[in-house]
Amino acid sequence: MPQYLLSIYQPDGPSPDAETMTQIAADLHQLNEELRESGSWVFTGGLHAPGTATVVRADGMFTDGPYVEGKEHIGGIWVITAPDLDAALSWGRKAAAATTLPIEVRPFQDVEPF
């Protein structure tokens, strides 16, 4: 079954208030349980703030922080399986509702590993 990456696009800046975060956490827990029960769940994880990133370049140079400056960053991901793009988009809609943030849904290439 095809795999899809669902990426959470989080705006830069402070987190929402504690009450909002508590609701988002509950909604994410419910979504993750639904993904597990359906057999679609492969992996999920939240990321630390972009300031914790280190970019490694081909010439061996290291740069602190994200690769590019932007007003939003990837805050977390899911890797899921779904029978088709429509099913993956349905999970993306549920993720957007749970997080209140935009979700990018992107299929993995169906090729053998290098």
Side-chain angles (χ1 to χ4, degrees):
M1 190 172 312
Q3 290 187 334
Y4 295 85
L5 175 68
L6 279 60
S7 304
I8 302 168
Y9 281 90
Q10 184 173 333
D12 287 341
S15 297
D17 60 78
E19 183 178 337
T20 302
M21 287 303 296
T22 298
Q23 183 61 55
I24 290 171
D27 291 345
L28 284 173
H29 178 75
Q30 181 178 348
L31 172 62
N32 288 334
E33 287 301 310
E34 189 177 342
L35 279 163
R36 284 183 181 97
E37 289 170 8
S38 74
S40 293
W41 187 86
V42 175
F43 172 80
T44 191
L47 300 172
H48 286 284
T52 64
T54 303
V55 177
V56 181
R57 300 183 186 279
D59 62 6
M61 297 296 294
F62 292 84
T63 306
D64 291 335
Y67 179 67
V68 295
E69 294 294 322
K71 295 181 181 178
E72 60 186 15
H73 58 274
I74 295 178
I77 63 157
W78 288 268
V79 175
I80 65 165
T81 60
D84 54 39
L85 180 59
D86 288 337
L89 291 172
S90 177
W91 287 116
R93 281 190 292 279
K94 291 179 182 189
T99 63
T100 71
L101 297 170
I103 304 296
E104 178 184 321
V105 177
R106 187 185 299 189
F108 280 91
Q109 293 182 8
D110 189 19
V111 295
E112 291 296 318
F114 293 74

